[in-house]
Amino acid sequence: KKIGFVGCQLRRWDYHKPENKRITKKIDSLGIGITQSQRFFEIGAGKKLDQIKNQIPVFGISGALCLYSKKALNKINYKGEFFDPILHYKNDNELSYRLRWAGYKPLIAKDVIAYHDRQLNEIKKKSIWAIRSSLRGDLVIFLKCFSKYFPWQIKLKSLSYLTLKTLYLIIRYPSSLKEIIFVIKNRKIIGEKAKAINKTKNNAKIVVKNFA
């Protein structure tokens, strides 16, 4: 198999708790999943390993701890860029998408355990900056990585989800409109980067199989 990036069993380390309670058995991430509506999520988040019954396709690896193949990165970089500097958030999702389009697969080494103090969890809620950056990430990833070769059902679900999320955030957080303006202003470079991704009809069939 063409393995391009590797993750592990990433568990939560609750830094806000007393010293003897920081390390937990709760999963922080067993990889990144993606739904047909293009919503990204951390697989197994908040659960213990034995509580995870359903096998969810691993689409990518959390940027909190990931090993990347140098060959894979060199293949998918854009003019020397590995992570897209346009993004402040969801860089790992976008990079995972590009690696997937290039035919690389992720691997989770479940026997390897590491701990991560997540910036956002049940205690630490999202700041407006994080909410806006998340919206920018969704918009850029959609424009760069979504394919015209995806089935119409996925197109409908994705457009519906992104439209509703964008409208909600504009109403709830009016400053989110700045992210839409930013994306519009940078549409040319985003379009150039999108063209550099090898989104063929055959590749699309493989990518779709890894949607949850």
Side-chain angles (χ1 to χ4, degrees):
K1 292 184 179 181
K2 200 174 178 181
I3 304 298
F5 46 143
V6 180
C8 66
Q9 183 187 153
L10 201 59
R11 294 183 181 178
R12 288 187 178 177
W13 182 40
D14 291 331
Y15 189 79
H16 63 279
K17 290 185 176 181
E19 185 72 31
N20 63 339
K21 294 183 179 179
R22 289 181 179 178
I23 292 178
T24 75
K25 291 185 178 181
K26 288 184 178 180
I27 298 296
D28 182 80
S29 178
L30 282 176
I32 296 171
I34 181 175
T35 66
Q36 291 189 356
S37 62
Q38 304 298 285
R39 182 179 64 82
F40 294 94
F41 61 95
E42 301 290 352
I43 297 173
K47 298 180 179 180
K48 294 182 179 179
L49 189 61
D50 58 5
Q51 294 176 324
I52 303 172
K53 306 299 181 183
N54 297 329
Q55 187 67 31
I56 299 173
V58 177
F59 187 79
I61 305 293
S62 170
L65 182 59
C66 183
L67 297 177
Y68 296 98
S69 158
K70 184 178 179 180
K71 181 180 179 181
L73 289 179
N74 285 333
K75 184 174 180 179
I76 58 94
N77 84 90
Y78 177 81
K79 296 183 178 180
E81 293 176 2
F82 300 115
F83 286 101
D84 192 333
I86 288 177
L87 300 176
H88 296 153
Y89 202 63
K90 297 192 174 181
N91 307 73
D92 48 1
N93 297 340
E94 190 271 341
L95 184 57
S96 294
Y97 226 136
R98 280 188 283 138
L99 286 165
R100 278 296 193 171
W101 276 120
Y104 289 99
K105 298 179 181 180
L107 174 68
I108 295 292
K110 291 185 179 180
D111 292 337
V112 179
I113 299 173
Y115 295 88
H116 177 221
D117 179 41
R118 184 165 289 274
Q119 293 178 350
L120 305 172
N121 53 36
E122 294 91 345
I123 304 299
K124 309 170 195 173
K125 300 301 181 182
K126 278 188 177 182
S127 64
I128 294 179
W129 176 89
I131 291 170
R132 285 179 48 180
S133 297
S134 176
L135 176 60
R136 180 190 295 191
D138 283 340
L139 293 171
V140 172
I141 292 171
F142 182 82
L143 291 173
K144 283 180 65 176
C145 301
F146 200 77
S147 172
K148 64 181 180 180
Y149 296 119
F150 286 162
W152 69 266
Q153 297 95 328
I154 291 178
K155 292 178 182 177
L156 179 61
K157 290 178 182 179
S158 302
L159 286 170
S160 299
Y161 169 73
L162 188 58
T163 300
L164 290 173
K165 177 178 179 177
T166 302
L167 290 174
Y168 168 77
L169 291 179
I170 291 174
I171 295 170
R172 182 70 176 82
Y173 307 100
S175 63
S176 298
L177 187 59
K178 294 180 180 179
E179 301 305 327
I180 298 174
I181 295 172
F182 174 88
V183 171
I184 293 173
K185 286 182 177 179
N186 288 275
R187 64 187 182 280
K188 183 177 180 180
I189 183 63
I190 294 172
E192 290 174 358
K193 292 180 178 182
K195 289 178 182 177
I197 301 172
N198 186 31
K199 293 180 286 187
T200 66
K201 191 172 185 178
N202 287 335
N203 284 354
K205 293 178 181 179
I206 298 172
V207 171
V208 166
K209 289 180 180 179
N210 293 284
F211 293 165

